[in-house]
Amino acid sequence: MILRGVLFDLDGTLGDHDGSVTTALTAWLPTVGLVADPETIMRWHEVAETHLAAWRRREIGYQEQRRRRLRDLGFEYGPEALDEIFAGYLVEYENAYRAYADVPEALAAVAEAGLRTAVLTNGSAPQQSGKLARMGLADLGPVWTPDDLGMAKPDPGAFRGAITRWGLRPGEVLSVGDRHDLDVLAARAAGLRAVHLDRLGTGPEDEPHRIGSLRELVDHLHT
């Protein structure tokens, strides 16, 4: 089956989420009485993944996962106060958000191959669309989120819902993402092709379609 489209993940794939988080926390944590040391930043990543995983399973709402992150860091306030505190972090995070340096070259290769592009991302639709706009990628293609699909990665249904809306068949689409569990295994379970973007070289090493940079994506666009 001929490849017709590339379905990109956003955070960690096109946009430097982790770097943006570190920059944002360094600026924001002191304003709320916490020290922006490596331990606190690591703790932030840990609690974020815990509560985002619960949200991906649809056990809690998106705003609630944000509140639970703050509670785990010791903020004992009501929902409205927690929302206000988190809003301060979001300002710093969104201001810090940047595209990876290898993105333009990869998108140029996809365009040269005559392939369509779209984004499937776990996040709120307004925030993720805003990120793409700030990176100059507002016209990249359709953007699908759990807000649109009613489910999140790693549910294979998220991929099926996206490509159905895209008007393509599973075998015609290549999923590219940094999370092996969310962007590769789940995509394949839905019948898509998939490439693992392993920027940090953490594996799994037995993944046959693994790249360390989006500059290597060109090698997977003609198979």
Side-chain angles (χ1 to χ4, degrees):
M1 191 172 294
I2 298 174
L3 186 64
R4 299 187 184 279
V6 179
L7 186 62
F8 286 99
D9 171 55
L10 176 51
D11 294 324
T13 300
L14 299 176
D16 184 3
H17 170 73
D18 286 350
S20 302
V21 168
T22 298
T23 299
L25 291 176
T26 300
W28 172 73
L29 284 171
T31 71
V32 292
L34 296 177
V35 178
D37 56 16
E39 292 75 16
T40 304
I41 292 173
M42 179 61 69
R43 177 62 175 158
W44 177 269
H45 284 290
E46 291 172 351
V47 300
E49 178 56 28
T50 295
H51 299 304
L52 281 169
W55 169 75
R56 289 194 294 265
R57 296 190 298 267
R58 318 310 280 171
E59 296 172 0
I60 57 175
Y62 199 70
Q63 198 70 8
E64 178 60 21
Q65 63 85 18
R66 290 175 168 175
R67 295 165 182 162
R68 292 188 182 189
R69 288 198 241 174
L70 293 177
R71 293 188 186 109
D72 282 358
L73 289 184
F75 292 94
E76 298 179 357
Y77 302 105
E80 291 185 3
L82 291 174
D83 293 346
E84 183 175 349
I85 293 170
F86 202 94
Y89 163 73
L90 283 180
V91 169
E92 299 293 345
Y93 171 69
E94 291 170 0
N95 287 339
Y97 203 86
R98 298 289 185 272
Y100 284 105
D102 54 9
V103 170
E105 185 175 331
L107 295 181
V110 173
E112 185 176 347
L115 302 174
R116 297 158 62 181
T117 54
V119 173
L120 175 61
T121 171
N122 282 350
S124 67
Q127 183 182 44
Q128 302 302 75
S129 295
K131 290 176 182 177
L132 288 165
R134 281 188 293 277
M135 293 190 297
L137 301 177
D139 298 325
L140 182 63
V143 180
W144 292 292
T145 74
D147 294 347
D148 314 302
L149 303 170
M151 60 193 76
K153 298 182 287 186
D155 191 325
F159 289 91
R160 287 192 288 265
I163 62 171
T164 296
R165 288 163 172 78
W166 209 7
L168 297 177
R169 292 178 289 179
E172 297 175 328
V173 178
L174 176 68
S175 171
V176 180
D178 67 301
R179 287 285 299 264
H180 195 257
D181 54 344
L182 305 185
D183 303 310
V184 178
L185 298 182
R188 289 175 181 157
L192 283 71
R193 314 181 198 190
V195 168
H196 182 211
L197 175 59
D198 186 14
R199 293 186 181 278
L200 301 179
T202 55
E205 294 184 1
D206 60 352
E207 166 55 51
H209 301 288
R210 182 163 64 114
I211 58 178
S213 165
L214 285 177
R215 295 185 177 94
E216 302 171 45
L217 182 61
V218 63
D219 298 329
H220 297 265
L221 301 179
H222 304 283
T223 57

